[in-house]
Amino acid sequence: MQAEMEQQNLIDGRWRPAGDGGLLQVRCPSDGLAFTRIPESTNEDVDAAVRAARKAYESGAWSRLTATDRGRLLLRLAELTDCNRERLTTIEARDTGKPMRQARADIEATVRYFEFYGGAADKLHGEVIPFSDGYHVQAVREAFGVTAHITPWNYPAQMFGRTLAPALAAGNAVVLKPAEDACLAPLALAGLALEAGFPAGAVNIVCGTGEAAGRHLAAHPGVDFLSFTGSPEVGASVQAAAGRNHVGCTLELGGKSPQIVFADADLDTVVPVVVNAIVQNSGQTCSAGSRALIQRSVFDRVMAMLSSRFASLTAAPHHEDRDLGALISAAQLKRVEAFFEQADTAPLCRGDVSGSAPEGGHYFAPALFGPVSPEARIAREEVFGPVLCCIPFDEEADAVRLANATEYGLVAGVWTNDGSRQVRMSRALRCGQVFINCFGAGGGIELPFGGVGKSGHGREKGFEALRGFTQTKTIIQKFG
């Protein structure tokens, strides 16, 4: 499907408009101009998608495929995605406003998700449990049936691979409701899934608003398991809706992730990574390193190095492929600007917005704050923009206290050459991932990802996600 075409839902193997013909405009963040339209799906459209998934699962068209065959389909999808890399990159960059090289990296990661779970599909094993004489007991893993997936706008292509690939590999039929702000790459990938040979109903996509289509899908009695990535506030309502049907869910809800810099770290290595961890995707990343905790003895030196880098950063239209692009929407720009304007102190340094940036684009010049009080709102709440808050600390215990003094707990970075400290810090930090002398690990397709506290629960990526889209059945056989 071409990005310029009017888009349709994919339901039961066919492209369909919304049942009542409703449409939503899609605007390019780089210039604010509408360039295509997507279906504004109704409850009836969601119902049809869930029925299609149920039919594919219960008829056996999908669920009775062997794990090997499911894996081969995912590997075929990986191949097609790779062959369409440049087209998908252009779609993703235009839809989200991110630089081309970032969009290209996202498509590469999406290919890796399909490859990883394509290879993992036939390696989801059960176990035999020693029990008692005369009994044979086995615990097997089975698909839930129909899984629902509600994904955000910051990484639409990656999220398609990250959440759908393990669910499909495990044998579930899926219904995806992508964010209305950016859903063109998921629609294009769904088209490639059809081309790869996925049976009708195995993959279904319904576009629309979160308030309508998303809410109905989360509460749908025909859904057996749900995956949601987004804000903590919406996550709470999604979990409550699923809970009324006694349906479990995986929630990934954001973070306020610390980068902890000790005096013995290699600062020349640290600073570029710290900057990239907040600038990538214009800071619109749940695992963005939005707090830098810096040991006081090197605080001024690190701040000078950070300032030099921030001053050189430029936000520009996606096709210029500069340091960062536009924020996703006017509403998101307004939110980030509110955090900036209400900060207790003035920024130490700011980047720039390119003179070529169209007036209607949603651009925010990267901002560096420091020293910042740990109690400041900008240091406690998720800004979801290119804003870095720097906080000094004295001893290791102070760093742990500050790092854990948040409702979130997604990831953390620790920068030190002291091996014992690396171990102590990794155990003391309250979060789902700890990076030591690195951050992000290139997407980490194989690495279990998720948080604690307000960052959600359950795990994505790696074999943990594959197991998470299954339920255990225990079979007790008496033979003696």
Side-chain angles (χ1 to χ4, degrees):
M1 298 179 66
Q2 298 298 315
E4 290 75 11
M5 293 173 59
E6 190 171 281
Q7 310 299 312
Q8 295 185 324
N9 293 324
L10 177 62
I11 299 175
D12 203 15
R14 295 190 295 114
W15 296 106
R16 305 180 185 180
D20 64 359
L23 291 164
L24 297 170
Q25 285 189 330
V26 177
R27 296 183 179 275
C28 175
S30 294
D31 57 22
L33 299 178
F35 66 97
T36 189
R37 296 188 294 179
I38 61 172
E40 186 174 10
S41 298
T42 64
N43 289 359
E44 289 71 25
D45 298 311
V46 174
D47 292 343
V50 173
R51 282 197 302 271
R54 179 63 61 190
K55 181 176 71 172
Y57 183 77
E58 293 189 348
S59 70
W62 177 244
S63 61
R64 290 181 187 170
L65 287 182
T66 66
T68 300
D69 286 339
R70 293 197 302 270
R72 285 172 176 161
L73 284 171
L74 284 165
L75 291 172
R76 175 61 177 153
L77 179 54
E79 180 183 3
L80 289 172
T81 302
D82 193 35
C83 290
N84 286 270
R85 181 189 302 259
E86 287 307 308
R87 179 174 71 91
L88 292 167
T89 293
T90 301
I91 291 172
E92 184 81 339
R94 186 179 187 183
D95 203 20
T96 63
K98 65 182 63 178
M100 291 290 288
R101 68 177 180 278
Q102 172 71 66
R104 190 169 289 108
D106 289 353
I107 301 306
E108 171 64 26
T110 304
V111 172
R112 283 287 298 120
Y113 279 115
F114 298 144
E115 289 176 338
F116 180 85
Y117 288 108
D122 60 357
K123 299 170 183 65
L124 186 62
H125 303 152
E127 60 180 340
V128 174
I129 302 172
F131 179 57
S132 181
D133 288 343
Y135 289 88
H136 176 75
V137 180
Q138 56 184 319
V140 298
R141 290 190 173 273
E142 296 183 338
F144 284 105
V146 175
T147 59
H149 307 255
I150 302 174
T151 57
W153 42 256
N154 53 345
Y155 291 95
Q158 277 208 55
M159 289 303 305
F160 184 103
R162 188 165 112 186
T163 185
L164 263 62
L168 290 165
N172 300 284
V174 303
V175 179
L176 168 65
K177 207 300 282 186
E180 59 268 32
D181 288 308
C183 62
L184 300 186
L187 288 169
L189 289 165
L192 294 178
L194 284 184
E195 185 178 341
F198 281 76
V203 178
N204 303 275
I205 314 288
V206 284
C207 300
T209 66
E211 291 80 3
R215 185 188 301 272
H216 189 60
L217 182 58
H220 204 289
V223 167
D224 301 309
F225 189 81
L226 191 141
S227 173
F228 172 82
T229 300
S231 71
E233 294 75 20
V234 177
S237 64
V238 165
Q239 182 169 245
R244 284 192 286 273
N245 294 319
H246 304 286
V247 167
C249 55
T250 293
L251 301 179
E252 197 270 277
L253 306 177
K256 193 67 178 176
S257 300
Q259 297 264 25
I260 306 166
V261 182
F262 287 91
D264 69 327
D266 179 354
L267 301 183
D268 290 330
T269 300
V270 171
V271 169
V273 178
V274 169
V275 173
N276 184 66
I278 189 60
V279 170
Q280 178 180 295
N281 206 39
S282 297
Q284 299 169 125
T285 303
C286 295
S287 56
S290 55
R291 291 185 297 154
L293 311 181
I294 305 165
Q295 197 155 27
R296 197 177 302 276
S297 61
V298 293
F299 185 84
D300 290 344
R301 180 182 171 193
V302 173
M303 293 305 294
M305 296 171 73
L306 289 170
S307 295
S308 176
R309 286 196 167 259
F310 263 76
S312 69
L313 296 172
T314 302
H318 62 276
H319 55 82
E320 292 189 14
D321 216 7
R322 300 292 290 275
D323 301 299
L324 65 162
L327 298 177
I328 189 68
S329 65
Q332 182 62 16
L333 175 59
K334 184 176 180 180
R335 169 186 164 84
V336 175
E337 288 178 335
F339 272 98
F340 178 84
E341 292 165 1
Q342 295 167 16
D344 296 340
T345 59
L348 183 65
C349 182
R350 293 201 73 179
D352 195 15
V353 174
S354 171
S356 64
E359 186 175 339
H362 315 309
Y363 298 95
F364 182 87
L368 173 67
F369 286 87
V372 175
S373 166
E375 304 303 318
R377 178 176 178 237
I378 204 168
R380 292 183 294 104
E381 298 183 23
E382 187 176 39
V383 178
F384 225 58
V387 177
L388 179 61
C389 297
C390 299
I391 303 169
F393 70 88
D394 292 304
E395 303 299 333
E396 184 179 314
D398 299 321
V400 172
R401 176 180 56 80
L402 289 169
N404 290 340
T406 172
E407 294 178 293
Y408 295 101
L410 193 55
V411 308
V414 178
W415 298 89
T416 178
N417 290 320
D418 184 326
S420 295
R421 178 186 287 144
Q422 292 171 0
V423 174
R424 290 194 301 270
M425 291 295 295
S426 65
R427 292 182 177 179
L429 293 171
R430 183 175 172 271
C431 59
Q433 278 188 339
V434 179
F435 294 96
I436 298 175
N437 292 334
C438 60
F439 197 83
I445 311 304
E446 305 87 349
L447 313 179
F449 175 74
V452 299
K454 204 172 181 179
S455 289
H457 53 75
R459 292 295 179 264
E460 298 178 303
K461 302 187 180 183
F463 273 88
E464 284 292 308
L466 189 61
R467 288 187 284 265
F469 281 108
T470 66
Q471 52 196 337
T472 300
K473 175 185 286 183
T474 306
I475 302 171
I476 305 98
Q477 178 183 10
K478 184 173 173 49
F479 66 86

